């Protein structure tokens, strides 16, 4: 089980663990909607474009494709249905319901996994995303956390 827990109530920084073992940290800044993380000695950058509806995961260390290669792309984020393209596949996500923030990994009508909020007050997430590589799982959770932060900021502004 992948978990992301907020490290401070005043910052958008998260500690990621898999089955209780620390994996990486991620600092998200909703106004920039991006961040960096290191996984197994590789440096990854999460960035956004197209009015925060498209996110990319870039391998800054340089794998087989060289430094700066895009590893994954999330598109149509914040919509009811959105997709992640990685490892030569496309993964579909959808919001569980209008009343819940949980995001489901689906194939057709079959639910394969999910990302759910740990707590409305403390933030954080818990995810089961079978079939996705660890960097892509971390990317998906980071994108969802960023989405939730944006939604909270918009709700807190009162629409003004």
């Amino acid at each position: 089980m992948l978990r992301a827990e907020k490290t401070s109530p005043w910052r958008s920084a998260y500690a990621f663990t898999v089955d209780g073992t620390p994996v990486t940290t991620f600092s998200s800044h909703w106004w920039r909607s991006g961040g960096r993380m290191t996984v197994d000695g590789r440096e990854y950058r999460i960035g956004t474009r197209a009015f925060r509806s498209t996110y990319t995961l870039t391998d800054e260390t340089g794998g087989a494709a060289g430094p700066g290669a895009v590893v994954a792309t999330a598109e149509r984020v914040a919509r009811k249905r959105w997709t992640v393209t990685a490892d030569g596949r496309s993964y579909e996500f959808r919001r569980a319901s209008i009343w819940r923030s949980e995001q489901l990994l689906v194939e057709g009508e079959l639910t394969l996994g999910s990302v759910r909020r740990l707590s409305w007050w403390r933030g954080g997430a818990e995810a089961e995303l079978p079939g996705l590589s660890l960097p892509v799982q971390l990317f998906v959770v980071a994108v969802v956390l960023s989405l939730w932060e944006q939604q909270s900021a918009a709700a807190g502004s009162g629409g003004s």
Side-chain angles (χ1 to χ4, degrees), residues 6-71:
K6 224 169 184 188
T7 59
S8 166
W10 299 282
R11 293 186 25 183
S12 298
Y14 298 88
F16 285 87
T17 59
V18 174
D19 298 327
T21 303
V23 176
T24 192
T25 59
F26 174 74
S27 180
S28 164
H29 302 287
W30 63 267
W31 58 90
R32 284 190 292 164
S33 295
R36 294 187 178 277
M37 62 184 169
T38 303
V39 182
D40 295 330
R42 301 189 81 82
E43 181 77 22
Y44 293 92
R45 182 176 55 81
I46 297 173
T48 184
R49 62 181 191 273
F51 304 103
R52 295 186 185 124
S53 68
T54 301
Y55 289 76
T56 56
L57 176 66
T58 306
D59 183 345
E60 297 293 298
T61 307
V70 174
V71 175

Short mmCIF file of all heavy atoms in Angstrom, two decimals, residues 6-71:
data_model
loop_
_atom_site.label_atom_id
_atom_site.label_comp_id
_atom_site.label_asym_id
_atom_site.label_seq_id
_atom_site.Cartn_x
_atom_site.Cartn_y
_atom_site.Cartn_z
N LYS A 6 1.31 14.15 4.94
CA LYS A 6 1.81 15.51 5.03
C LYS A 6 2.86 15.59 6.13
O LYS A 6 2.67 15.06 7.22
CB LYS A 6 0.66 16.47 5.31
CG LYS A 6 0.70 17.70 4.48
CD LYS A 6 -0.56 18.50 4.56
CE LYS A 6 -0.40 19.65 3.59
NZ LYS A 6 -1.44 20.60 3.68
N THR A 7 3.96 16.27 5.85
CA THR A 7 5.04 16.39 6.83
C THR A 7 4.90 17.62 7.70
O THR A 7 5.55 17.73 8.73
CB THR A 7 6.42 16.40 6.14
OG1 THR A 7 6.47 17.51 5.24
CG2 THR A 7 6.67 15.11 5.39
N SER A 8 4.05 18.56 7.27
CA SER A 8 3.85 19.79 8.03
C SER A 8 2.45 20.33 7.73
O SER A 8 2.02 20.30 6.57
CB SER A 8 4.88 20.84 7.63
OG SER A 8 4.53 22.11 8.11
N PRO A 9 1.76 20.85 8.73
CA PRO A 9 0.44 21.41 8.45
C PRO A 9 0.49 22.71 7.66
O PRO A 9 -0.52 23.14 7.11
CB PRO A 9 -0.16 21.64 9.85
CG PRO A 9 0.99 21.68 10.78
CD PRO A 9 2.09 20.88 10.15
N TRP A 10 1.66 23.34 7.56
CA TRP A 10 1.77 24.63 6.88
C TRP A 10 2.36 24.55 5.49
O TRP A 10 2.40 25.54 4.79
CB TRP A 10 2.61 25.60 7.73
CG TRP A 10 1.95 25.83 9.04
CD1 TRP A 10 0.88 26.64 9.30
CD2 TRP A 10 2.29 25.22 10.27
NE1 TRP A 10 0.54 26.57 10.62
CE2 TRP A 10 1.40 25.70 11.24
CE3 TRP A 10 3.27 24.31 10.66
CZ2 TRP A 10 1.46 25.30 12.56
CZ3 TRP A 10 3.32 23.90 11.98
CH2 TRP A 10 2.42 24.41 12.90
N ARG A 11 2.85 23.39 5.09
CA ARG A 11 3.49 23.25 3.78
C ARG A 11 2.86 22.10 3.01
O ARG A 11 2.32 21.19 3.60
CB ARG A 11 4.98 23.00 3.93
CG ARG A 11 5.72 24.16 4.51
CD ARG A 11 7.19 23.93 4.52
NE ARG A 11 7.56 22.97 3.49
CZ ARG A 11 8.76 22.54 3.28
NH1 ARG A 11 9.74 22.96 4.02
NH2 ARG A 11 9.04 21.66 2.34
N SER A 12 2.99 22.14 1.73
CA SER A 12 2.50 21.06 0.88
C SER A 12 3.62 20.08 0.60
O SER A 12 4.01 19.85 -0.54
CB SER A 12 1.94 21.63 -0.42
OG SER A 12 0.86 22.47 -0.14
N ALA A 13 4.15 19.49 1.67
CA ALA A 13 5.23 18.52 1.55
C ALA A 13 4.72 17.18 2.08
O ALA A 13 4.02 17.13 3.09
CB ALA A 13 6.44 18.97 2.35
N TYR A 14 5.08 16.11 1.38
CA TYR A 14 4.58 14.79 1.71
C TYR A 14 5.72 13.78 1.79
O TYR A 14 6.68 13.85 1.02
CB TYR A 14 3.59 14.30 0.64
CG TYR A 14 2.37 15.18 0.55
CD1 TYR A 14 2.35 16.29 -0.28
CD2 TYR A 14 1.24 14.90 1.30
CE1 TYR A 14 1.24 17.11 -0.36
CE2 TYR A 14 0.12 15.71 1.23
CZ TYR A 14 0.12 16.81 0.40
OH TYR A 14 -0.97 17.62 0.33
N ALA A 15 5.57 12.83 2.71
CA ALA A 15 6.48 11.69 2.81
C ALA A 15 5.73 10.48 2.26
O ALA A 15 4.62 10.18 2.69
CB ALA A 15 6.90 11.46 4.25
N PHE A 16 6.34 9.80 1.30
CA PHE A 16 5.73 8.63 0.68
C PHE A 16 6.34 7.36 1.28
O PHE A 16 7.56 7.26 1.44
CB PHE A 16 6.00 8.60 -0.83
CG PHE A 16 5.17 9.59 -1.61
CD1 PHE A 16 5.60 10.88 -1.79
CD2 PHE A 16 3.98 9.19 -2.19
CE1 PHE A 16 4.84 11.78 -2.53
CE2 PHE A 16 3.22 10.08 -2.92
CZ PHE A 16 3.65 11.37 -3.10
N THR A 17 5.48 6.39 1.59
CA THR A 17 5.92 5.09 2.07
C THR A 17 5.18 4.01 1.29
O THR A 17 4.07 4.21 0.80
CB THR A 17 5.63 4.89 3.58
OG1 THR A 17 4.22 5.02 3.80
CG2 THR A 17 6.38 5.90 4.43
N VAL A 18 5.85 2.85 1.16
CA VAL A 18 5.21 1.66 0.59
C VAL A 18 5.28 0.59 1.65
O VAL A 18 6.38 0.20 2.08
CB VAL A 18 5.91 1.20 -0.71
CG1 VAL A 18 5.32 -0.11 -1.20
CG2 VAL A 18 5.81 2.26 -1.78
N ASP A 19 4.12 0.16 2.11
CA ASP A 19 4.02 -0.84 3.18
C ASP A 19 4.87 -0.43 4.39
O ASP A 19 5.55 -1.26 4.99
CB ASP A 19 4.42 -2.22 2.68
CG ASP A 19 3.49 -2.72 1.57
OD1 ASP A 19 2.29 -2.37 1.61
OD2 ASP A 19 3.96 -3.43 0.67
N GLY A 20 4.86 0.86 4.71
CA GLY A 20 5.56 1.38 5.88
C GLY A 20 7.02 1.72 5.66
O GLY A 20 7.67 2.30 6.53
N THR A 21 7.59 1.40 4.50
CA THR A 21 8.98 1.69 4.20
C THR A 21 9.09 3.03 3.46
O THR A 21 8.44 3.21 2.42
CB THR A 21 9.60 0.58 3.32
OG1 THR A 21 9.46 -0.66 4.01
CG2 THR A 21 11.07 0.84 3.04
N PRO A 22 9.89 3.98 3.97
CA PRO A 22 10.04 5.27 3.28
C PRO A 22 10.58 5.10 1.86
O PRO A 22 11.50 4.31 1.63
CB PRO A 22 11.05 6.03 4.15
CG PRO A 22 10.98 5.37 5.48
CD PRO A 22 10.66 3.92 5.21
N VAL A 23 9.98 5.85 0.92
CA VAL A 23 10.37 5.75 -0.49
C VAL A 23 10.94 7.06 -1.00
O VAL A 23 11.98 7.10 -1.63
CB VAL A 23 9.17 5.32 -1.36
CG1 VAL A 23 9.53 5.31 -2.83
CG2 VAL A 23 8.64 3.97 -0.93
N THR A 24 10.22 8.16 -0.74
CA THR A 24 10.67 9.46 -1.22
C THR A 24 9.85 10.55 -0.52
O THR A 24 8.94 10.25 0.24
CB THR A 24 10.53 9.60 -2.76
OG1 THR A 24 11.22 10.76 -3.20
CG2 THR A 24 9.09 9.66 -3.20
N THR A 25 10.19 11.78 -0.81
CA THR A 25 9.38 12.91 -0.37
C THR A 25 9.01 13.71 -1.61
O THR A 25 9.66 13.62 -2.64
CB THR A 25 10.15 13.82 0.62
OG1 THR A 25 11.34 14.29 -0.02
CG2 THR A 25 10.48 13.07 1.89
N PHE A 26 7.96 14.50 -1.47
CA PHE A 26 7.49 15.32 -2.57
C PHE A 26 6.98 16.62 -1.99
O PHE A 26 6.21 16.62 -1.04
CB PHE A 26 6.37 14.61 -3.33
CG PHE A 26 5.74 15.46 -4.40
CD1 PHE A 26 6.41 15.72 -5.58
CD2 PHE A 26 4.48 16.00 -4.22
CE1 PHE A 26 5.83 16.51 -6.56
CE2 PHE A 26 3.88 16.78 -5.19
CZ PHE A 26 4.57 17.03 -6.37
N SER A 27 7.42 17.73 -2.55
CA SER A 27 6.94 19.04 -2.14
C SER A 27 6.18 19.64 -3.30
O SER A 27 6.75 19.89 -4.36
CB SER A 27 8.11 19.93 -1.74
OG SER A 27 7.63 21.19 -1.34
N SER A 28 4.90 19.84 -3.10
CA SER A 28 4.04 20.39 -4.14
C SER A 28 3.70 21.83 -3.78
O SER A 28 3.40 22.13 -2.64
CB SER A 28 2.75 19.56 -4.22
OG SER A 28 1.78 20.26 -4.93
N HIS A 29 3.72 22.66 -4.76
CA HIS A 29 3.32 24.05 -4.59
C HIS A 29 2.16 24.29 -5.55
O HIS A 29 2.37 24.37 -6.74
CB HIS A 29 4.48 25.00 -4.89
CG HIS A 29 5.67 24.73 -4.04
ND1 HIS A 29 5.72 25.06 -2.70
CD2 HIS A 29 6.84 24.13 -4.32
CE1 HIS A 29 6.87 24.68 -2.20
NE2 HIS A 29 7.57 24.12 -3.16
N TRP A 30 0.95 24.35 -5.02
CA TRP A 30 -0.22 24.39 -5.88
C TRP A 30 -0.19 25.55 -6.87
O TRP A 30 -0.71 25.44 -7.96
CB TRP A 30 -1.51 24.40 -5.07
CG TRP A 30 -1.69 25.59 -4.19
CD1 TRP A 30 -1.34 25.71 -2.89
CD2 TRP A 30 -2.26 26.84 -4.56
NE1 TRP A 30 -1.64 26.95 -2.42
CE2 TRP A 30 -2.21 27.67 -3.42
CE3 TRP A 30 -2.80 27.35 -5.73
CZ2 TRP A 30 -2.70 28.96 -3.44
CZ3 TRP A 30 -3.27 28.64 -5.73
CH2 TRP A 30 -3.22 29.43 -4.60
N TRP A 31 0.48 26.63 -6.54
CA TRP A 31 0.51 27.74 -7.48
C TRP A 31 1.45 27.46 -8.65
O TRP A 31 1.33 28.05 -9.68
CB TRP A 31 0.91 29.04 -6.77
CG TRP A 31 2.23 28.98 -6.08
CD1 TRP A 31 3.44 29.28 -6.62
CD2 TRP A 31 2.49 28.57 -4.74
NE1 TRP A 31 4.44 29.10 -5.70
CE2 TRP A 31 3.88 28.66 -4.53
CE3 TRP A 31 1.69 28.13 -3.70
CZ2 TRP A 31 4.47 28.33 -3.32
CZ3 TRP A 31 2.30 27.82 -2.50
CH2 TRP A 31 3.66 27.92 -2.33
N ARG A 32 2.37 26.53 -8.47
CA ARG A 32 3.23 26.11 -9.57
C ARG A 32 2.82 24.74 -10.09
O ARG A 32 3.22 24.35 -11.17
CB ARG A 32 4.68 26.07 -9.14
CG ARG A 32 5.31 27.42 -9.03
CD ARG A 32 6.78 27.30 -8.83
NE ARG A 32 7.04 26.73 -7.53
CZ ARG A 32 8.19 26.21 -7.17
NH1 ARG A 32 9.19 26.19 -8.02
NH2 ARG A 32 8.38 25.72 -5.98
N SER A 33 2.07 24.00 -9.28
CA SER A 33 1.61 22.66 -9.63
C SER A 33 2.72 21.79 -10.17
O SER A 33 2.67 21.30 -11.28
CB SER A 33 0.46 22.72 -10.62
OG SER A 33 -0.64 23.33 -10.02
N GLY A 34 3.71 21.60 -9.37
CA GLY A 34 4.79 20.73 -9.77
C GLY A 34 5.67 20.42 -8.58
O GLY A 34 5.38 20.79 -7.45
N GLY A 35 6.74 19.73 -8.83
CA GLY A 35 7.66 19.39 -7.76
C GLY A 35 8.69 18.39 -8.23
O GLY A 35 8.73 18.02 -9.41
N ARG A 36 9.52 17.97 -7.30
CA ARG A 36 10.59 17.01 -7.59
C ARG A 36 10.56 15.90 -6.57
O ARG A 36 10.14 16.08 -5.44
CB ARG A 36 11.95 17.70 -7.53
CG ARG A 36 12.16 18.73 -8.60
CD ARG A 36 13.60 19.25 -8.59
NE ARG A 36 13.78 20.21 -9.65
CZ ARG A 36 14.05 19.89 -10.91
NH1 ARG A 36 14.17 18.64 -11.25
NH2 ARG A 36 14.22 20.82 -11.82
N MET A 37 11.06 14.73 -7.01
CA MET A 37 11.22 13.60 -6.10
C MET A 37 12.34 12.71 -6.62
O MET A 37 12.64 12.69 -7.81
CB MET A 37 9.91 12.82 -5.96
CG MET A 37 9.40 12.20 -7.22
SD MET A 37 7.79 11.43 -6.91
CE MET A 37 7.29 11.08 -8.58
N THR A 38 12.97 12.02 -5.68
CA THR A 38 14.04 11.07 -6.03
C THR A 38 13.56 9.68 -5.68
O THR A 38 13.11 9.43 -4.56
CB THR A 38 15.33 11.40 -5.26
OG1 THR A 38 15.70 12.75 -5.55
CG2 THR A 38 16.46 10.47 -5.64
N VAL A 39 13.64 8.76 -6.65
CA VAL A 39 13.21 7.38 -6.46
C VAL A 39 14.32 6.47 -6.95
O VAL A 39 14.73 6.55 -8.11
CB VAL A 39 11.91 7.08 -7.24
CG1 VAL A 39 11.44 5.65 -7.00
CG2 VAL A 39 10.83 8.07 -6.90
N ASP A 40 14.82 5.62 -6.05
CA ASP A 40 15.89 4.68 -6.40
C ASP A 40 17.07 5.38 -7.08
O ASP A 40 17.60 4.90 -8.07
CB ASP A 40 15.36 3.55 -7.28
CG ASP A 40 14.36 2.67 -6.57
OD1 ASP A 40 14.46 2.53 -5.33
OD2 ASP A 40 13.46 2.12 -7.24
N GLY A 41 17.44 6.54 -6.56
CA GLY A 41 18.59 7.28 -7.07
C GLY A 41 18.33 8.08 -8.33
O GLY A 41 19.24 8.72 -8.86
N ARG A 42 17.11 8.07 -8.84
CA ARG A 42 16.77 8.82 -10.05
C ARG A 42 15.98 10.06 -9.65
O ARG A 42 15.07 9.98 -8.84
CB ARG A 42 15.95 7.97 -11.01
CG ARG A 42 16.68 6.71 -11.44
CD ARG A 42 15.91 6.03 -12.54
NE ARG A 42 16.19 6.67 -13.81
CZ ARG A 42 17.24 6.41 -14.57
NH1 ARG A 42 18.14 5.55 -14.15
NH2 ARG A 42 17.41 7.01 -15.71
N GLU A 43 16.31 11.16 -10.28
CA GLU A 43 15.63 12.44 -10.02
C GLU A 43 14.50 12.61 -11.03
O GLU A 43 14.72 12.52 -12.24
CB GLU A 43 16.62 13.60 -10.14
CG GLU A 43 16.04 14.95 -9.88
CD GLU A 43 15.84 15.24 -8.40
OE1 GLU A 43 16.50 14.61 -7.56
OE2 GLU A 43 15.01 16.11 -8.09
N TYR A 44 13.28 12.84 -10.53
CA TYR A 44 12.12 13.06 -11.38
C TYR A 44 11.54 14.45 -11.11
O TYR A 44 11.57 14.93 -9.99
CB TYR A 44 11.03 12.02 -11.11
CG TYR A 44 11.41 10.61 -11.50
CD1 TYR A 44 11.99 9.76 -10.58
CD2 TYR A 44 11.20 10.14 -12.79
CE1 TYR A 44 12.35 8.47 -10.92
CE2 TYR A 44 11.55 8.86 -13.14
CZ TYR A 44 12.12 8.02 -12.21
OH TYR A 44 12.49 6.74 -12.55
N ARG A 45 11.03 15.05 -12.17
CA ARG A 45 10.36 16.34 -12.04
C ARG A 45 8.92 16.19 -12.53
O ARG A 45 8.66 15.58 -13.56
CB ARG A 45 11.06 17.40 -12.89
CG ARG A 45 10.43 18.79 -12.76
CD ARG A 45 11.21 19.85 -13.55
NE ARG A 45 11.40 19.51 -14.95
CZ ARG A 45 10.48 19.69 -15.89
NH1 ARG A 45 9.31 20.17 -15.61
NH2 ARG A 45 10.75 19.38 -17.15
N ILE A 46 8.00 16.74 -11.75
CA ILE A 46 6.60 16.77 -12.14
C ILE A 46 6.28 18.20 -12.52
O ILE A 46 6.52 19.13 -11.75
CB ILE A 46 5.69 16.29 -10.99
CG1 ILE A 46 6.01 14.83 -10.66
CG2 ILE A 46 4.21 16.45 -11.37
CD1 ILE A 46 5.30 14.31 -9.44
N GLY A 47 5.77 18.37 -13.71
CA GLY A 47 5.42 19.70 -14.19
C GLY A 47 4.02 19.71 -14.76
O GLY A 47 3.40 18.66 -14.93
N THR A 48 3.54 20.90 -15.06
CA THR A 48 2.19 21.03 -15.60
C THR A 48 2.18 22.03 -16.75
O THR A 48 3.06 22.88 -16.85
CB THR A 48 1.19 21.46 -14.51
OG1 THR A 48 -0.11 21.47 -15.07
CG2 THR A 48 1.51 22.83 -13.96
N ARG A 49 1.18 21.88 -17.58
CA ARG A 49 0.96 22.83 -18.66
C ARG A 49 -0.52 22.79 -19.02
O ARG A 49 -1.28 22.02 -18.43
CB ARG A 49 1.82 22.50 -19.87
CG ARG A 49 1.57 21.16 -20.50
CD ARG A 49 2.51 20.94 -21.69
NE ARG A 49 2.12 19.79 -22.46
CZ ARG A 49 2.50 18.56 -22.23
NH1 ARG A 49 3.28 18.30 -21.22
NH2 ARG A 49 2.09 17.57 -22.99
N ALA A 50 -0.92 23.58 -19.93
CA ALA A 50 -2.31 23.63 -20.41
C ALA A 50 -3.29 23.86 -19.27
O ALA A 50 -4.22 23.10 -19.07
CB ALA A 50 -2.65 22.36 -21.19
N PHE A 51 -3.06 24.93 -18.52
CA PHE A 51 -3.99 25.34 -17.45
C PHE A 51 -4.21 24.25 -16.42
O PHE A 51 -5.31 24.01 -15.96
CB PHE A 51 -5.32 25.81 -18.04
CG PHE A 51 -5.17 26.91 -19.03
CD1 PHE A 51 -5.27 26.66 -20.38
CD2 PHE A 51 -4.87 28.19 -18.61
CE1 PHE A 51 -5.11 27.67 -21.31
CE2 PHE A 51 -4.70 29.21 -19.53
CZ PHE A 51 -4.82 28.95 -20.88
N ARG A 52 -3.12 23.56 -16.06
CA ARG A 52 -3.13 22.52 -15.03
C ARG A 52 -4.02 21.33 -15.35
O ARG A 52 -4.47 20.64 -14.46
CB ARG A 52 -3.53 23.10 -13.68
CG ARG A 52 -2.53 24.08 -13.14
CD ARG A 52 -2.91 24.49 -11.73
NE ARG A 52 -2.02 25.51 -11.26
CZ ARG A 52 -2.40 26.69 -10.83
NH1 ARG A 52 -3.66 26.99 -10.78
NH2 ARG A 52 -1.52 27.56 -10.42
N SER A 53 -4.28 21.06 -16.61
CA SER A 53 -5.06 19.87 -16.94
C SER A 53 -4.15 18.77 -17.50
O SER A 53 -4.59 17.65 -17.67
CB SER A 53 -6.17 20.19 -17.94
OG SER A 53 -5.62 20.54 -19.19
N THR A 54 -2.88 19.10 -17.76
CA THR A 54 -1.91 18.12 -18.22
C THR A 54 -0.66 18.19 -17.35
O THR A 54 -0.11 19.27 -17.14
CB THR A 54 -1.52 18.38 -19.70
OG1 THR A 54 -2.69 18.32 -20.51
CG2 THR A 54 -0.53 17.34 -20.19
N TYR A 55 -0.25 17.04 -16.83
CA TYR A 55 0.95 16.93 -16.00
C TYR A 55 1.92 15.98 -16.67
O TYR A 55 1.51 15.04 -17.36
CB TYR A 55 0.61 16.37 -14.61
CG TYR A 55 -0.16 17.30 -13.72
CD1 TYR A 55 -1.51 17.53 -13.92
CD2 TYR A 55 0.47 17.93 -12.66
CE1 TYR A 55 -2.22 18.38 -13.09
CE2 TYR A 55 -0.24 18.79 -11.82
CZ TYR A 55 -1.58 19.00 -12.05
OH TYR A 55 -2.27 19.84 -11.22
N THR A 56 3.22 16.20 -16.45
CA THR A 56 4.23 15.30 -16.99
C THR A 56 5.19 14.87 -15.89
O THR A 56 5.47 15.63 -14.96
CB THR A 56 5.04 15.96 -18.12
OG1 THR A 56 5.62 17.17 -17.62
CG2 THR A 56 4.19 16.24 -19.34
N LEU A 57 5.68 13.65 -16.01
CA LEU A 57 6.73 13.12 -15.15
C LEU A 57 7.96 12.97 -16.02
O LEU A 57 7.94 12.23 -17.01
CB LEU A 57 6.33 11.77 -14.56
CG LEU A 57 7.38 11.06 -13.71
CD1 LEU A 57 7.68 11.86 -12.44
CD2 LEU A 57 6.93 9.65 -13.36
N THR A 58 9.01 13.70 -15.68
CA THR A 58 10.23 13.72 -16.48
C THR A 58 11.37 13.12 -15.69
O THR A 58 11.56 13.45 -14.51
CB THR A 58 10.58 15.17 -16.88
OG1 THR A 58 9.45 15.77 -17.51
CG2 THR A 58 11.77 15.22 -17.82
N ASP A 59 12.13 12.23 -16.32
CA ASP A 59 13.32 11.64 -15.70
C ASP A 59 14.48 12.59 -15.94
O ASP A 59 14.99 12.70 -17.05
CB ASP A 59 13.60 10.27 -16.32
CG ASP A 59 14.77 9.55 -15.69
OD1 ASP A 59 15.56 10.18 -14.95
OD2 ASP A 59 14.91 8.34 -15.93
N GLU A 60 14.87 13.32 -14.90
CA GLU A 60 15.92 14.31 -15.02
C GLU A 60 17.31 13.67 -14.98
O GLU A 60 18.29 14.30 -15.38
CB GLU A 60 15.81 15.34 -13.89
CG GLU A 60 14.52 16.14 -13.94
CD GLU A 60 14.45 17.05 -15.15
OE1 GLU A 60 15.30 17.94 -15.27
OE2 GLU A 60 13.54 16.86 -15.98
N THR A 61 17.40 12.43 -14.50
CA THR A 61 18.69 11.76 -14.39
C THR A 61 19.17 11.28 -15.75
O THR A 61 20.35 11.34 -16.06
CB THR A 61 18.59 10.56 -13.42
OG1 THR A 61 18.04 11.03 -12.19
CG2 THR A 61 19.94 9.93 -13.17
N GLY A 62 18.25 10.82 -16.54
CA GLY A 62 18.60 10.35 -17.87
C GLY A 62 18.69 8.84 -17.95
O GLY A 62 19.70 8.26 -17.64
N GLY A 63 17.61 8.23 -18.34
CA GLY A 63 17.58 6.79 -18.52
C GLY A 63 17.99 6.44 -19.94
O GLY A 63 18.81 7.13 -20.55
N ALA A 64 17.38 5.41 -20.48
CA ALA A 64 17.70 4.95 -21.83
C ALA A 64 17.42 6.03 -22.87
O ALA A 64 18.13 6.11 -23.87
CB ALA A 64 16.89 3.69 -22.14
N ALA A 65 16.40 6.85 -22.63
CA ALA A 65 16.04 7.89 -23.59
C ALA A 65 16.81 9.19 -23.37
O ALA A 65 16.64 10.14 -24.10
CB ALA A 65 14.54 8.16 -23.51
N GLY A 66 17.67 9.23 -22.34
CA GLY A 66 18.45 10.43 -22.06
C GLY A 66 17.77 11.32 -21.05
O GLY A 66 16.61 11.16 -20.72
N PRO A 67 18.53 12.33 -20.54
CA PRO A 67 17.97 13.24 -19.54
C PRO A 67 16.81 14.05 -20.12
O PRO A 67 16.84 14.44 -21.28
CB PRO A 67 19.13 14.13 -19.15
CG PRO A 67 20.23 13.84 -20.08
CD PRO A 67 19.90 12.62 -20.86
N GLY A 68 15.82 14.27 -19.29
CA GLY A 68 14.68 15.07 -19.72
C GLY A 68 13.59 14.28 -20.42
O GLY A 68 12.64 14.87 -20.93
N ALA A 69 13.71 12.95 -20.44
CA ALA A 69 12.71 12.12 -21.12
C ALA A 69 11.42 12.09 -20.31
O ALA A 69 11.44 11.92 -19.10
CB ALA A 69 13.23 10.71 -21.33
N VAL A 70 10.29 12.25 -21.00
CA VAL A 70 8.99 12.17 -20.35
C VAL A 70 8.67 10.70 -20.10
O VAL A 70 8.67 9.89 -21.02
CB VAL A 70 7.89 12.84 -21.21
CG1 VAL A 70 6.52 12.62 -20.60
CG2 VAL A 70 8.18 14.32 -21.36
N VAL A 71 8.43 10.37 -18.83
CA VAL A 71 8.15 9.00 -18.41
C VAL A 71 6.65 8.74 -18.40
O VAL A 71 6.19 7.64 -18.72
CB VAL A 71 8.74 8.74 -17.01
CG1 VAL A 71 8.38 7.38 -16.48
CG2 VAL A 71 10.25 8.94 -17.03
#
